[in-house]
Amino acid sequence: LKVAVTEIPIPVSYGPAFEGERVRKDDVYLECGGGKTPCCELVQIADMSEVEDGRVEVIGPDIKDVKPGSRLPLAVVVQVAGRKMQEDYEPILERQIHHLVNYAQGIMHIGQRDIAWYRIGKQAVEKGFTLEHIGKILHAKYHQDFGAIFDKCQVKIYTDEKKVNEMVPLAQKAYKTRDERIEGMTDEGTETYYSCTLCQSFAPTHVCVISPERTGLCGAYNWLDCKASFEINPTGPNQPIQKGDTLDAKLGNWKGVNDFVYKASRQSVSSYNFYSIVYDPMTTCGCCECIAAVLPMCNGVMTVNRDYTGMTPSGMKFTTLAGTIGGGNVTPGFVGHSKYNVTQRKFIAGDGGLKRLVWMPKMFKDEIRERLMKRGEEIGIPNFIDMIATEENGTTEDEIYAFLEKVGHPALTMESILG
Ligand code: SF4
Ligand code: ZN
């Protein structure tokens, strides 16, 4: 039985025209996530018997229970079932939440996974928008756009603090499992990379090209996810790219990729390097999980995750960095990347690799601690993790430099990062 949903049953206008729209601070009725409250989004496959198609439950307070300007924790959990549904498709459906929710007038959505950020505007609330409508949107649009791969879908929207705090670690476990599926694959081992142009509605010249060792900068798509997405939707945003001739193996530059990017960026980007932050790095859009920046005095690189709101040694906070480089241009010295990418072997390999990393927020270090330690062993510096400064050691280049000298950080004796 196939369900055909043609209308989106919500009280506000809906469509791509509203995608880029912002909800300003003063217009916010309800805000969730964005580093202010715990938040996560998770799409998971379930048994046919567990899913009642179209059911949307709000577990915890909804709009009517809170005052204008409120904040709530939030977990958006979608269960999908069907004979053709596979675990591999979960990340693809999940990544759609971003633009699908954004299509609603007066609703702003940024990010994904456990860094998603929702703002529901006062005007939308006046028209009758409630949290339940997020579920209605997902149910209707999933059927419209992905009806071929599943039969039934139900949505649970948790705002109950205790429940959200239970859901977040479960979601993080699922993200980790997905991320690690790509472990073991190398860029050299495949002739095909994949494009992602999902973010062009926000950053029209931005094209992610995703290789096994460089996951999408939003953290939500790796090479396998793009491959699955192409199988589901052969004319969609994830196209296979034949790498073609290798123009620079160290910096990660391929003729086939450049040709694709040139066309897909509407002739605005003719070449970029996968493995460099210094020389024509990849373009960045506003979804990036992290932004790395060169710290010339330290002869190294810092990186900051979206959920860290403090100052960084680049002199900018994450939001300023994102505002500066997130428009889809090549910005030498800066690059957006996923959290997982830091511990992938090709991370800024063209500039000296992980050994260049001199600063990162403590929370980020703790989050990837296990993998960072493993990579430290691999590069022959088992205590490397302790050589990376955090905000506890300082937030200016001077402070960081002093720390690096004290711990004997390898970046200080490497060749000049700026060449
Ligand atoms: Fe795709 Fe890149 Fe946007 Fe992620 S950030 S959805 S990989 S274009
Ligand atoms: Zn984006």
Side-chain angles (χ1 to χ4, degrees):
L1 179 93
K2 283 282 166 206
V3 186
V5 184
T6 48
E7 291 248 306
I8 313 297
I10 57 171
V12 297
S13 304
Y14 189 82
F18 305 110
E19 192 173 11
E21 152 212 59
R22 293 261 155 176
V23 175
R24 315 234 158 254
K25 231 186 222 149
D26 295 339
D27 302 326
V28 176
Y29 192 97
L30 175 67
E31 182 169 43
C32 307
K36 283 146 190 140
T37 68
C39 187
C40 69
E41 296 173 338
L42 185 65
V43 172
Q44 276 192 314
I45 191 166
D47 262 6
M48 283 294 265
S49 61
E50 292 171 54
V51 181
E52 184 188 320
D53 188 52
R55 179 162 184 199
V56 180
E57 272 177 281
V58 178
I59 300 135
D62 201 337
I63 301 277
K64 64 174 183 348
D65 308 308
V66 299
K67 290 200 195 74
S70 296
R71 285 180 181 157
L72 283 175
L74 178 73
V76 175
V77 181
V78 186
Q79 289 172 296
V80 281
R83 271 180 306 119
K84 293 211 183 106
M85 185 61 199
Q86 303 176 14
E87 248 177 44
D88 291 356
Y89 300 158
E90 292 172 351
I92 298 149
L93 291 175
E94 194 175 291
R95 188 65 184 100
Q96 311 301 319
I97 297 177
H98 173 51
H99 69 263
L100 294 183
V101 170
N102 251 316
Y103 279 4
Q105 187 177 22
I107 318 299
M108 185 181 93
H109 184 286
I110 291 178
Q112 57 284 319
R113 289 191 165 184
D114 55 350
I115 58 169
W117 179 18
Y118 287 72
R119 271 185 172 177
I120 296 171
K122 288 174 184 162
Q123 287 188 349
V125 171
E126 272 164 30
K127 289 183 186 147
F129 194 89
T130 68
L131 291 177
E132 192 194 8
H133 293 119
I134 293 171
K136 297 277 182 206
I137 292 171
L138 297 179
H139 170 257
K141 289 301 284 180
Y142 278 180
H143 273 292
Q144 264 181 24
D145 300 347
F146 295 92
I149 58 164
F150 75 95
D151 301 310
K152 298 202 285 185
C153 144
Q154 73 183 16
V155 185
K156 289 182 181 153
I157 295 170
Y158 299 93
T159 55
D160 176 87
E161 197 174 348
K162 196 168 151 269
K163 286 274 196 285
V164 174
N165 286 332
E166 283 167 20
M167 278 315 301
V168 171
L170 285 178
Q172 286 167 337
K173 215 174 135 213
Y175 308 149
K176 188 163 180 277
T177 309
R178 291 176 191 164
D179 286 348
E180 287 173 356
R181 275 188 234 166
I182 199 71
E183 221 21 82
M185 271 194 75
T186 63
D187 287 0
E188 289 79 9
T190 177
E191 288 308 310
T192 310
Y193 292 165
Y194 285 92
S195 65
C196 190
T197 47
L198 211 56
C199 285
Q200 288 202 336
S201 43
F202 293 95
T205 60
H206 173 67
V207 189
C208 274
V209 179
I210 294 165
S211 69
E213 293 182 272
R214 197 178 196 288
T215 58
L217 54 80
C218 59
Y221 272 11
N222 65 28
W223 187 89
L224 289 167
D225 302 328
C226 293
K227 185 168 180 276
S229 166
F230 174 67
E231 281 160 16
I232 299 174
N233 184 4
T235 56
N238 303 108
Q239 293 295 316
I241 301 173
Q242 295 310 310
K243 284 154 68 177
D245 292 342
T246 302
L247 302 179
D248 193 319
K250 185 175 168 216
L251 298 179
N253 194 285
W254 295 272
K255 173 126 195 352
V257 173
N258 289 343
D259 290 348
F260 184 97
V261 170
Y262 186 62
K263 268 193 223 125
S265 68
R266 298 148 215 224
Q267 284 86 46
S268 82
V269 181
S270 56
S271 166
Y272 62 40
N273 295 313
F274 278 49
Y275 311 144
S276 181
I277 179 174
V278 179
Y279 304 102
D280 293 344
M282 267 195 197
T283 57
T284 299
C285 70
C287 307
C288 51
E289 274 189 307
C290 316
I291 296 175
V294 172
L295 298 179
M297 186 183 150
C298 298
N299 203 33
V301 164
M302 58 148 265
T303 185
V304 56
N305 52 311
R306 181 181 295 274
D307 19 357
Y308 174 77
T309 52
M311 187 39 85
T312 81
S314 69
M316 289 180 265
K317 295 181 178 177
F318 182 93
T319 43
T320 314
L321 282 164
T324 312
I325 71 154
N329 301 316
V330 171
T331 318
F334 301 88
V335 73
H337 60 88
S338 67
K339 288 178 175 175
Y340 188 70
N341 186 238
V342 175
T343 54
Q344 291 192 288
R345 290 175 190 88
K346 290 291 197 298
F347 178 66
I348 57 170
D351 308 315
L354 186 62
K355 281 188 210 165
R356 287 286 188 190
L357 189 58
V358 298
W359 188 93
M360 71 197 302
K362 184 173 181 298
M363 65 186 296
F364 186 16
K365 197 197 255 195
D366 287 340
E367 187 178 329
I368 62 169
R369 176 166 291 275
E370 205 183 305
R371 295 199 311 271
L372 211 43
M373 286 174 67
K374 214 168 108 205
R375 287 284 296 131
E377 305 249 334
E378 275 180 19
I379 61 171
I381 315 171
N383 64 334
F384 182 68
I385 186 165
D386 302 321
M387 296 179 170
I388 309 168
T390 71
E391 69 275 18
E392 290 180 342
N393 309 107
T395 51
T396 64
E397 275 213 74
D398 284 311
E399 288 168 316
I400 305 313
Y401 186 83
F403 174 84
L404 301 178
E405 276 204 308
K406 200 177 83 196
V407 298
H409 192 291
L412 296 187
T413 53
M414 288 167 83
E415 60 180 332
S416 168
I417 188 163
L418 298 176

